[in-house]
Amino acid sequence: MQLLTSSVGRKVLMAITGQLMVLFVIVHMLGNSSIFIPGGINAYAEHLHALPPLVWAFRLVMGAAVAIHILFGIQLSLENRAANAESYAVKNLKRATLASQSMLYTGLLLLAFIIYHLLHFTIRATPDIIAGVDAQGRFDVFGMVTGSFSHGIIAFVYIAAMVVLFLHLSHGIQSFFQTMGWNNNKTLPVIGKIGTVAAVVLLLGYASIPLFIVSGILKG
Amino acid sequence: MTLTLHVWRQNGPKDPGKFETYEAKEVSPDQSFLEMLDEVNEDLIKAGKDPIAFDHDCREGICGMCSQVINGAPHGGMDRTTVCQLHMRMFKDGDTIYIEPWRARAFPIVRDLVVDRGSLDRIIEAGGYTSAHTGGIADGNAILIPKDDADYAMDAAECIGCGACVAGCPNGSAMLFTSAKVSQLAVLPQGVAEAARRVCAMTEELQAQGFGNCTNHYECQASCPKGVDVKFIAKLNREYLKSLCK
Amino acid sequence: MILDGKCPTGPIEKTWDKHRFDMKLVNPANKRKYKILVVGTGLAGGAAAASLGELGYNVEAFCYQDSPRRAHSIAAQGGINAAKNYPNDGDSIYRLFYDTIKGGDFRAREADVWRLAQVSNNIIDQCVAQGVPFARDYAGYLDNRSFGGAQVSRTFYARGQTGQQLLLGAYSALARQVKAGTVKMFPRTEMLDLIVVDGEAKGITVRDLVTGEVRSHVGDAVVLCTGGYVNVFYLSTNAMGCSVTAAWKAHKKGAFFANPCYTQIHPTCIPQHGDKQSKLTLMSESLRNDGRCWVPKSKGDKRAPGEIPEEERDYYLERKYPSFGNLAPRDIASRAAKEQCDDDRGVGPGGRGVYLDFAASIKRLSEDTIRERYGNLFEMYEKITDENAYKVPMRIYPAPHYSMGGLWVDYNCESNVPGLFVLGEANFSVHGANRLGASALMQGLADGYFVIPYTIANYLAKTAPGKVKADNPECKKSVDDVTNNMKKLMSINGKKTVSEFHRELGKLMWENVGMARSEASCKEAIRKIPEIREEFWKNVKVTGSGAEFNQQLENANRVADFLEFAELMARDSLYRDESCGGHFRVEHQMPDGEAKRDDEKFCHAAAWEFKGVNAEPELHIEPLKFENVHLAIRSYK
Ligand SMILES: Cc1cc2nc3c(=O)[nH]c(=O)nc-3n(C[C@H](O)[C@H](O)[C@H](O)COP(=O)(O)OP(=O)(O)OC[C@H]3O[C@@H](n4cnc5c(N)ncnc54)[C@H](O)[C@@H]3O)c2cc1C
Ligand code: HEM
Ligand code: HEM
Ligand code: SF4
Ligand code: F3S
Ligand code: FES
């Protein structure tokens, strides 16, 4: 109960759910990278969907995590804004970063992206989708993705979303360790760097897919 | 030197405030910032105007009374320096200086640059102590405390309760202040017995007083005139999670 | 009148224990019926309010800062004494007692000092239990260092912030009682009058510094813990708000003021930088453990310190006091510094400074060790002077620092006005004519934690609770007096600001009733103070109104009291026709410039009774008897 109402408790929930999402994003990125192996991504997708109960259990957990994360994210942010009612005429921040200050916005943008992304590749309701099967009769994820990303705008939207993700995580990953209390003055700068590096890796890993496709290096 | 000051003037908590502009003349580089303001005030009084109200007492950086945001930085932004310890040699002739009060909902403005920081006292009242009775106490050496623990406690105990961490925090959170006391007492054997209760009560009070939540901006440490480290916030979080297990 | 300190008799070791047994107790069930007003929440007041609240009394506590955590006790850097003898270097309660009596130049009461030394050990235990992070050694034991005037290491410390840590300990104990509801805290509330009903102290009149409201609080006893008065010199090491106001108002209502001329000038302060300065900063005298005081041997030597070779330096303290050297007591060290400067051998701008040199210690111990010991002091020094004391010697000069004089109290810490108790720096009791380093913190906490909880019961047990009600005519009269006084101040609308008057008074006092005094200088002060006071009441300018947050008005009230008090201080200096401790009358010195006491005529406390602002005060005497320590010439050679 304390977890749901107290300042630290809610933060811890946000950190755990955020971290779950980070883990997902890492795995998802690794999975998506199989696109660079011929036929890889189609095989990967088929493996994933082979066990529907597992898929749904996983979706349930992630859904809950996202919901908790968003709910508390918004609630905490509103409280913080109220606590800091009047702003300074001149501001000279020394350590707070653009990323740390825009967590709510980057988070909400991510939410928008996730909705779009689900409509796009999971529900496949967007007009650009080419839903076919590949030579082995598997659902052709590869074709769907390359087809979409050959549209400059869609590729751009994805890349932009990845930048937003980068911002969110460049603060979020190290923040997780601080919130969980796994920090001291020696580890803090190190974890800060690791967090940034991880966010950069994710940015490059993800953005490379639309980038390679739209630039024609990876052809459908 | 001559400086242009834009100073926040506000008669009371409910009044609208605004900036007034003053000129500080013949400022000597050896003067402290508050001594410079004293001179401005002397001129204002002689002109029959209300002097600028600001809090101060010890003027040696230890009582935590002085509290001004100077050019957007609490205490002026010099490393480990309170306003009263800030010297005018940090400024150049012709500089423009904005002076504002601590701004946070939990710190209502009393007048001009003076704010009410009673909310910090309330956080301590909620549990920032060991319940030692006066008298009937064992010898000070009865429990040995490793030097590292004593030093760690002292690092946390350096907090002067000025509230700059709140003023600097984009969330108006008093987490650094609270964590310093929680950490000091959690690491000492004398404080361990009440550690779980203390961390819960103090964080609850922090919320009740209208402070924001910590989202790890670390601006507080940069604002703190005693350099209190955000590692104590991590320690508070740790103590908090430990208390959940109880 | 001959005053009676009500000291218990018999062997000194037994006095406090016996007295505690002899005192009356208040029934636990009755305690909450008694309301105690504690004015001031520094070490003395904070400890007292917390302890009395814990006992079950109904306590109201007041301070002028926005939080009790900010009292000036917080600024104490060096440490706190206790006779624990942890280092096994020969300390004992008796030795601490002896050192304090001798340090005070035989002008304090033996029984009070004994008690102080006795409870000193409990204080350390108490503070440790509160979580005060005293310095520890690697084995985990409490660490000690030596401090001015002592040849044993009995000083406990918490980095350079001992006062802060002790005060935060007392503050946290107080916070606990506030939470428990036994203490009601009134911050930003200044006492401006004492209410005396039928000869007993039963209340105070205060001004709420935020709203400007003037109101009375009544209770069954009043405990003043309002600190010292050296801001009478304008420039001092005290906080800006420190004042004599509470004590002076009590004095005007009948409480005797004892030994006001005993003020301490601290030897290690940062020299003044210019005439716009508002206060002086103390560098803890613990620096003298590792720093060596010197000046150039030749007069008017303007070379940089590094260019003056060893043989052309005069390490004057080591030369004059070989056994104590740089650790000679404060009054001696201060006067020695002044002598060097008067002799045109001072250093730094204006020539009012001497060097405190760490080069030898840095060489012996390494810069890191010095940094570990005094890092924060060096930082503070650099912030103020822009000089790096690891590289060039510090410059120091004496500054007013502490007031040994204060309201007269008996052994129970009760003034001559029944029901009015005075603790900490505000009373006159234990330090005689000079206070040893690290003894004020000890006194404040001793009074607050371990004396008043017992002695106040002795008074309360004899008086019915709630004797005086809020509608007592004395309350209304007091509120009217205070209000009218302020109205008068506001209506003058003259040409000079409050601080101009304060500066003027301070300068006069520093020059005439400062480190060295003479019959002529005291008379000069007595002649001039009323002139300044008169001008103040004709020509001061205070803007704004009384019904709002008004710092000018606060200051004006305080300076008005200093202007009256200063005259008493000068009179006492004139009266005390001897030199002792911090009171140095140039007419009375040994051939080598040491203070020369006159035990025949002045082995007593001089307590003054107020007779009117422009009237001469009446003198009362409390003779001092020395049965355990023999009156001797204080020698630190
Ligand atoms: C810079 C410095 C360093 C020192 N270092 C040491 C040291 O190392 N060791 C040592 O033993 N001693 C030291 N001392 C001396 C020691 O700190 C003080 O003597 C001692 O702390 C005084 O405590 P106190 O409780 O009597 O008064 P204070 O701490 O001065 O408290 C006074 C209280 O009274 C309140 N008050 C005053 N007037 C009024 C009023 N009119 N109405 C309402 N409230 C009022 C104030 O708000 C405050 O709460 C030092 C002093 C200074 C100035
Ligand atoms: C879906 C919409 C999202 C919203 C509205 C949102 C909002 C927020 C907010 C307001 C914070 C608080 C800032 C802080 O505590 O530092 C936060 C933290 C965090 N977010 Fe998100 N976020 C969202 C999505 C995500 C996603 C998709 C991830 C991971 C891939 C993520 C990972 C994190 C992490 C790790 C933290 C740090 C938690 C901590 O401080 O301990 N968030 N988020
Ligand atoms: C370039 C970047 C990305 C690509 C190419 C991509 C691709 C895909 C594809 C192809 C699927 C459908 C898989 C399937 O149903 O077979 C999918 C699902 C999904 N993606 Fe992405 N994705 C990207 C980035 C992201 C990011 C950044 C997030 C999270 C913030 C995300 C969250 C999801 C989710 C939640 C699903 C649904 C999983 C499920 O079926 O439950 N994706 N993605
Ligand atoms: S943590 Fe630092 S900034 Fe915050 S109150 Fe304490 S000293 Fe001031
Ligand atoms: S700046 Fe604020 S958000 Fe946390 S780390 Fe410090 S309290
Ligand atoms: S006035 Fe005391 S810290 Fe600045």
Side-chain angles (χ1 to χ4, degrees):
Chain A
M1 202 48 225
Q2 254 184 54
L3 277 178
L4 299 180
T5 53
S6 81
S7 181
V8 184
R10 286 178 296 168
K11 272 284 301 178
V12 166
L13 286 182
M14 280 210 71
I16 294 173
T17 53
Q19 199 56 26
L20 271 178
M21 289 190 266
V22 171
L23 291 178
F24 168 79
V25 178
I26 293 172
V27 173
H28 190 46
M29 184 195 73
L30 293 174
N32 288 348
S33 310
S34 62
I35 200 165
F36 295 111
I37 308 164
I41 194 159
N42 290 2
Y44 167 69
E46 192 166 73
H47 278 298
L48 273 186
H49 290 279
L51 278 170
L54 218 67
V55 171
W56 279 104
F58 164 79
R59 285 179 176 168
L60 227 65
V61 172
M62 285 314 289
V66 174
I68 292 174
H69 192 80
I70 298 176
L71 219 73
F72 287 136
I74 295 177
Q75 195 191 25
L76 289 171
S77 302
L78 289 180
E79 282 178 21
N80 292 346
R81 200 158 306 176
N84 200 6
E86 273 183 282
S87 56
Y88 295 102
V90 186
K91 210 167 191 165
N92 175 8
L93 289 173
K94 294 209 150 56
R95 275 188 69 180
T97 56
L98 176 68
S100 76
Q101 287 176 280
S102 55
M103 286 301 271
L104 179 64
Y105 305 109
T106 50
L108 288 175
L109 284 173
L110 280 177
L111 176 64
F113 165 75
I114 291 169
I115 293 171
Y116 166 67
H117 183 54
L118 289 179
L119 284 173
H120 191 199
F121 286 151
T122 307
I123 302 171
R124 297 158 198 156
T126 52
D128 59 287
I129 289 296
I130 319 158
V133 283
D134 67 0
Q136 280 99 345
R138 296 176 300 203
F139 180 76
D140 189 7
V141 178
F142 183 80
M144 172 175 77
V145 172
T146 46
S148 286
F149 287 166
S150 54
H151 297 282
I153 303 181
I154 296 179
F156 175 78
V157 167
Y158 267 76
I159 294 170
M162 295 312 112
V163 172
V164 172
L165 180 72
F166 162 75
L167 277 176
H168 201 76
L169 294 188
S170 67
H171 177 69
I173 294 177
Q174 58 80 30
S175 181
F176 166 78
F177 291 92
Q178 172 80 357
T179 302
M180 298 307 289
W182 301 330
N183 239 346
N184 61 39
N185 52 335
K186 294 204 185 71
T187 56
L188 184 70
V190 179
I191 288 178
K193 285 199 188 91
I194 293 176
T196 315
V197 169
V200 169
V201 169
L202 284 166
L203 171 68
L204 295 179
Y206 273 122
S208 60
I209 300 172
L211 213 66
F212 276 50
I213 294 172
V214 78
S215 60
I217 299 176
L218 188 67
K219 287 195 190 69
Chain B
M1 2 177 212
T2 301
L3 303 160
T4 308
L5 311 180
H6 299 286
V7 185
W8 185 261
R9 304 299 306 261
Q10 181 171 341
N11 276 333
K14 302 228 158 51
D15 294 297
K18 61 173 190 311
F19 281 101
E20 298 264 2
T21 305
Y22 306 102
E23 191 129 286
K25 295 191 203 76
E26 292 170 40
V27 178
S28 134
D30 288 331
Q31 263 177 307
S32 73
F33 197 83
L34 298 186
E35 282 164 358
M36 181 274 294
L37 282 182
D38 286 343
E39 293 299 311
V40 173
N41 274 347
E42 290 284 293
D43 290 345
L44 285 174
I45 295 165
K46 285 190 175 154
K49 296 192 189 123
D50 283 340
I52 304 158
F54 58 89
D55 263 333
H56 64 101
D57 201 26
C58 73
R59 295 207 174 185
E60 48 186 76
I62 191 72
C63 74
M65 190 97 173
C66 57
S67 44
Q68 301 175 20
V69 173
I70 297 163
N71 286 337
H75 289 300
M78 267 257 298
D79 203 28
R80 288 174 165 265
T81 306
T82 53
V83 186
C84 58
Q85 291 284 80
L86 194 67
H87 278 70
M88 295 313 292
R89 61 181 82 92
M90 300 304 139
F91 299 91
K92 314 187 290 297
D93 190 32
D95 275 358
T96 297
I97 305 176
Y98 280 83
I99 310 175
E100 297 177 70
W102 285 174
R103 293 192 195 276
R105 184 179 57 178
F107 290 165
I109 291 187
V110 173
R111 191 186 180 113
D112 299 345
L113 306 172
V114 177
V115 299
D116 178 357
R117 287 168 287 195
S119 44
L120 295 183
D121 288 325
R122 251 102 55 202
I123 291 178
I124 298 294
E125 283 158 22
Y129 41 75
T130 70
S131 296
H133 302 273
T134 301
I137 304 250
D139 187 88
N141 267 344
I143 308 176
L144 300 185
I145 303 177
K147 184 172 189 303
D148 289 339
D149 289 353
D151 285 350
Y152 181 93
M154 185 61 219
D155 285 343
E158 296 245 5
C159 167
I160 57 174
C162 62
C165 45
V166 180
C169 174
N171 304 348
S173 177
M175 203 50 98
L176 188 63
F177 168 83
T178 310
S179 71
K181 192 44 87 187
V182 166
S183 305
Q184 177 200 342
L185 296 178
V187 78
L188 295 172
Q190 289 81 6
V192 167
E194 294 168 280
R197 206 161 52 112
R198 176 181 311 114
V199 67
C200 293
M202 288 179 77
T203 44
E204 246 165 62
E205 194 62 31
L206 170 129
Q207 254 173 297
Q209 291 298 326
F211 291 103
N213 310 289
C214 173
T215 61
N216 306 331
H217 286 297
Y218 310 138
E219 191 62 28
C220 47
Q221 180 177 344
S223 307
C224 175
K226 296 291 146 184
V228 173
D229 200 292
V230 290
K231 75 177 177 199
F232 297 121
I233 298 185
K235 169 83 174 162
L236 178 144
N237 294 340
R238 216 147 62 224
E239 289 295 320
Y240 187 86
L241 288 171
K242 259 204 287 187
S243 82
L244 289 177
C245 309
K246 295 219 168 123
Chain C
M1 182 164 83
I2 301 291
L3 289 166
D4 176 10
K6 302 204 184 108
C7 298
T9 49
I12 191 107
E13 306 80 23
K14 299 265 159 49
T15 41
W16 177 231
D17 298 335
K18 174 169 171 293
H19 188 69
R20 265 197 308 186
F21 181 73
D22 290 344
M23 277 184 294
K24 295 192 170 54
L25 298 171
V26 175
N27 178 325
N30 281 342
K31 285 200 177 109
R32 72 188 156 71
K33 296 185 191 148
Y34 287 100
K35 188 192 273 184
I36 302 172
L37 307 176
V38 178
V39 189
T41 49
L43 284 182
S51 304
L52 293 170
E54 189 179 47
L55 282 171
Y57 293 109
N58 179 358
V59 177
E60 290 185 355
F62 306 81
C63 70
Y64 70 77
Q65 293 94 344
D66 70 337
S67 161
R69 69 178 295 148
R70 309 201 199 282
H72 192 55
S73 296
I74 204 146
Q77 301 164 347
I80 177 167
N81 285 335
K84 285 277 195 189
N85 193 28
Y86 285 155
N88 196 28
D89 56 0
D91 203 4
S92 62
I93 293 175
Y94 187 84
R95 188 177 294 278
L96 176 53
F97 160 72
Y98 175 85
D99 285 353
T100 309
I101 293 277
K102 176 183 167 209
D105 220 355
F106 304 92
R107 289 294 175 264
R109 242 187 238 141
E110 279 192 340
D112 293 44
V113 177
W114 179 271
R115 175 176 63 195
L116 176 71
Q118 186 182 340
V119 303
S120 68
N121 292 337
N122 305 27
I123 295 174
I124 302 304
D125 304 339
Q126 184 70 32
C127 297
V128 167
Q130 287 169 345
V132 169
F134 283 121
R136 300 253 170 185
D137 61 19
Y138 282 100
Y141 291 98
L142 288 158
D143 196 17
N144 290 114
R145 61 182 171 204
S146 55
F147 220 66
Q151 284 170 313
V152 289
S153 280
R154 61 160 73 102
T155 303
F156 294 77
Y157 64 101
R159 276 194 202 141
Q161 289 114 292
T162 317
Q164 178 198 28
Q165 294 310 318
L166 298 176
L167 181 63
L168 293 182
Y171 161 73
S172 65
L174 180 64
R176 177 169 152 250
Q177 295 306 317
V178 171
K179 183 73 176 176
T182 59
V183 177
K184 195 160 171 6
M185 185 66 221
F186 294 88
R188 289 208 204 264
T189 305
E190 187 161 22
M191 166 182 162
L192 293 177
D193 199 14
L194 179 73
I195 296 170
V196 179
V197 180
D198 299 331
E200 293 185 89
K202 289 294 169 192
I204 58 173
T205 295
V206 298
R207 178 167 180 270
D208 180 323
L209 301 181
V210 175
T211 62
E213 183 201 1
V214 176
R215 61 168 190 266
S216 297
H217 290 250
V218 292
D220 298 292
V222 177
V223 186
L224 289 193
C225 319
T226 48
Y229 53 74
V230 285
N231 268 350
V232 69
F233 290 109
Y234 184 65
L235 284 181
S236 84
T237 63
N238 280 16
M240 303 299 286
C242 292
S243 77
V244 75
T245 291
W248 189 248
K249 300 297 189 191
H251 176 60
K252 288 173 93 169
K253 284 292 174 77
F256 297 163
F257 213 115
N259 305 336
C261 74
Y262 291 165
T263 51
Q264 181 169 78
I265 312 295
H266 196 289
T268 50
C269 301
I270 300 176
Q272 196 179 341
H273 63 65
D275 53 353
K276 285 179 183 170
Q277 192 155 353
S278 57
K279 77 155 278 179
L280 296 169
T281 303
L282 173 97
M283 305 300 292
S284 167
E285 84 179 322
S286 62
L287 289 170
R288 289 202 274 143
N289 282 326
D290 290 304
R292 302 177 69 196
C293 292
W294 64 273
V295 289
K297 276 188 177 153
S298 50
K299 292 187 181 192
D301 191 338
K302 288 281 171 277
R303 283 176 296 176
E307 288 162 21
I308 302 177
E310 221 25 62
E311 60 280 6
E312 290 177 42
R313 300 175 175 190
D314 178 10
Y315 293 91
Y316 58 91
L317 283 177
E318 294 165 29
R319 170 170 61 79
K320 291 168 86 168
Y321 310 98
S323 67
F324 275 78
N326 292 296
L327 291 174
R330 295 178 171 175
D331 54 327
I332 291 178
S334 294
R335 265 195 311 278
K338 180 173 187 285
E339 261 166 39
Q340 307 308 319
C341 299
D342 288 347
D343 199 26
D344 196 20
R345 299 190 299 146
V347 299
R352 311 260 14 131
V354 297
Y355 289 125
L356 183 62
D357 200 334
F358 292 87
S361 298
I362 288 176
K363 213 159 140 197
R364 182 164 47 90
L365 302 164
S366 87
E367 189 170 318
D368 283 341
T369 311
I370 296 296
R371 181 168 284 117
E372 160 109 343
R373 287 188 190 164
Y374 313 109
N376 66 321
L377 298 171
F378 278 55
E379 245 175 63
M380 184 154 104
Y381 182 79
E382 182 160 8
K383 258 173 213 159
I384 294 173
T385 60
D386 211 15
E387 284 174 9
N388 177 351
Y390 296 104
K391 301 274 175 289
V392 284
M394 271 182 190
R395 285 174 296 109
I396 55 166
Y397 197 65
H401 174 60
Y402 184 86
S403 46
M404 283 76 69
L407 292 177
W408 183 86
V409 290
D410 62 18
Y411 186 69
N412 292 324
C413 284
E414 188 173 11
S415 74
N416 59 306
V417 178
L420 176 67
F421 294 79
V422 191
L423 313 182
E425 193 172 343
N427 75 23
F428 89 115
S429 71
V430 291
H431 304 298
N434 178 45
R435 172 180 71 86
L436 293 182
S439 284
L441 300 179
M442 172 170 74
Q443 183 213 351
L445 291 179
D447 288 359
Y449 286 131
F450 300 114
V451 177
I452 192 75
Y454 297 100
T455 60
I456 203 165
N458 198 41
Y459 167 76
L460 293 174
K462 290 180 283 190
T463 168
K467 257 207 287 200
V468 173
K469 303 275 179 299
D471 57 4
N472 191 291
E474 282 298 323
C475 296
K476 183 170 180 326
K477 186 173 166 300
S478 167
V479 168
D480 288 347
D481 287 350
V482 168
T483 315
N484 291 337
N485 198 51
M486 285 192 310
K487 278 202 186 119
K488 204 163 124 200
L489 273 173
M490 316 277 322
S491 67
I492 300 165
N493 198 18
K495 295 214 161 42
K496 273 166 76 172
T497 62
V498 176
S499 30
E500 281 172 319
F501 283 105
H502 198 173
R503 253 176 244 239
E504 198 176 327
L505 174 70
K507 189 152 181 279
L508 180 76
M509 294 303 282
W510 179 242
E511 274 163 13
N512 294 294
V513 202
M515 225 184 312
R517 304 146 175 191
S518 67
E519 184 181 344
S521 74
C522 293
K523 283 186 168 156
E524 168 84 354
I526 295 169
R527 190 174 59 78
K528 281 212 175 127
I529 295 163
E531 289 172 13
I532 305 179
R533 190 165 62 223
E534 206 168 302
E535 197 201 343
F536 177 85
W537 284 101
K538 278 199 195 112
N539 197 24
V540 74
K541 184 167 183 106
V542 183
T543 56
S545 82
E548 60 182 350
F549 186 87
N550 188 338
Q551 291 171 315
Q552 278 308 301
L553 182 58
E554 292 168 30
N555 281 342
N557 277 324
R558 292 172 195 153
V559 172
D561 291 329
F562 276 133
L563 283 166
E564 293 176 10
F565 165 74
E567 191 177 331
L568 181 70
M569 194 173 142
R571 281 186 194 282
D572 190 46
S573 295
L574 178 65
Y575 163 76
R576 191 163 283 277
D577 197 12
E578 65 162 349
S579 292
C580 57
H583 170 67
F584 192 72
R585 282 280 296 270
V586 295
E587 300 93 332
H588 303 283
Q589 42 181 310
M590 304 291 196
D592 58 357
E594 298 282 286
K596 190 168 162 211
R597 291 197 322 262
D598 183 346
D599 292 330
E600 288 285 292
K601 286 221 269 329
F602 291 103
C603 192
H604 61 243
W608 301 90
E609 181 179 354
F610 184 76
K611 289 286 174 192
V613 173
N614 289 312
E616 280 204 29
E618 187 182 333
L619 177 67
H620 303 281
I621 278 171
E622 184 199 340
L624 296 171
K625 288 194 264 326
F626 291 91
E627 288 161 351
N628 297 279
V629 183
H630 285 290
L631 271 173
I633 293 169
R634 197 177 63 138
S635 166
Y636 285 94
K637 289 236 143 96

